[in-house]
Amino acid sequence: MPTEIEPQPERRQCCRLLGASLLGGALPSILTPAMAASGAAGTAQAAAPRVAVASPTDLVAYTENLPPLNYAEDGKPRGFSSELLQLMAAEAGLRLRVEVLPWQRSVQEAARRADSVLFSLTRTPERETQYRWVGPISPRRILVYRLSHRTDVQPASLKHLGGWRLGVSRDSAAARHLQAEGVRAEELELGLDDATNLRKLLAGRMDLIVLLDWAAAWHLRALKLPYATLTPVLSLDVDKSYWYGLPLDSDPAVARKLQMALDRLRRDGRYERLRQHYFD
């Protein structure tokens, strides 16, 4: 479902004044706050021209349900990546609408618009030339975990699981990766989703589980368990990151504004505070 972030008030005022000046045939080279104030007073005394109406949305962002990074809750976009993008847009003075859709539909909708943002995107060599990249949002670390108290579970490698029952979500990229690494189908416990697999692990019906570290923290918190309940024993895919992707025909100035906003959020601590809310 969509939501919109309003730009800062002074940005809206400048937009109105600039639109009025354009319609009146004058274009100021620089519009300072003092000039904006005096211009507003002058406009009130003169016959008011028609003001150009700005587009109600500068950016439309598309994402999927992938908690805790991005998901819908009570009809509104939630999650670390969603809320981080909203902060970035507000910092950059951009209006933003976020829609949470099935992933393939998000990809298709984003491809139709030059003012779109697609997230959370794994930045891969195959995608490198397809987007203007803003980020990174966070590292993407898919790990193999065991219960911390199960010190007997010590697999040597993915190819030598030694009969351990390894849980992974059915039809996931992780499941395909494991099979490409030579893991036999009979060694995999294919579950409906991460939450179901984690409950099976806690119940002793699995010995190991494959999870994105963000998802591990999120689902453990939902069960009121600390992240230390699990111990990573093997790495499956840890050399990539999540990013925001803008179309190649988008305005490069918009990507620069978003990147600068993200950099400020990192420097002033707001990025880390938001991260701790979702990944403690």
Side-chain angles (χ1 to χ4, degrees), residues 1-3 61-84 86 98-103 106 119-120 214-215 218-219 221-222 274 277-279:
M1 298 293 293
T3 189
Y62 297 96
T63 189
E64 64 173 332
N65 276 296
L66 181 66
L69 291 169
N70 25 261
Y71 60 97
E73 182 179 76
D74 298 328
K76 297 181 179 179
R78 301 292 189 202
F80 177 77
S81 299
S82 300
E83 294 183 34
L84 179 62
Q86 291 168 358
V98 180
E99 297 191 8
V100 183
L101 304 169
W103 181 245
S106 284
F119 71 100
S120 295
W214 281 87
W218 175 258
H219 291 298
R221 178 182 291 184
L274 180 61
H277 178 73
Y278 285 99
F279 192 163

Side-chain angles (χ1 to χ4, degrees), residues 9 55 75 84 96 100 133 142 147 162 168 188 206 261 280:
S55 170
L84 179 62
L96 171 72
V100 183
W133 297 96
I142 300 178
L147 291 174
V168 63
L188 297 178
M206 293 177 179
D280 186 2

Side-chain angles (χ1 to χ4, degrees), residues 25-156:
L27 177 60
S29 58
I30 299 176
L31 186 61
T32 65
M35 292 170 63
S38 62
T43 303
Q45 296 172 2
R50 291 177 61 84
V51 178
V53 179
S55 170
T57 303
D58 293 306
L59 289 171
V60 182
Y62 297 96
T63 189
E64 64 173 332
N65 276 296
L66 181 66
L69 291 169
N70 25 261
Y71 60 97
E73 182 179 76
D74 298 328
K76 297 181 179 179
R78 301 292 189 202
F80 177 77
S81 299
S82 300
E83 294 183 34
L84 179 62
L85 183 59
Q86 291 168 358
L87 287 173
M88 291 162 56
E91 185 76 11
L94 298 169
R95 289 186 177 186
L96 171 72
R97 186 172 84 244
V98 180
E99 297 191 8
V100 183
L101 304 169
W103 181 245
Q104 286 304 319
R105 186 178 168 198
S106 284
V107 172
Q108 293 167 0
E109 293 296 326
R112 294 191 180 105
R113 317 181 52 128
D115 61 349
S116 69
V117 182
L118 183 64
F119 71 100
S120 295
L121 268 174
T122 304
R123 189 168 181 174
T124 63
E126 296 78 17
R127 289 173 172 168
E128 187 63 34
T129 60
Q130 298 177 10
Y131 298 95
R132 296 187 189 276
W133 297 96
V134 175
I137 300 171
S138 78
R140 176 182 177 272
R141 303 175 68 245
I142 300 178
L143 305 170
V144 179
Y145 292 90
R146 64 169 170 83
L147 291 174
S148 295
H149 72 268
R150 289 286 309 273
T151 56
D152 59 308
V153 181
Q154 296 290 347

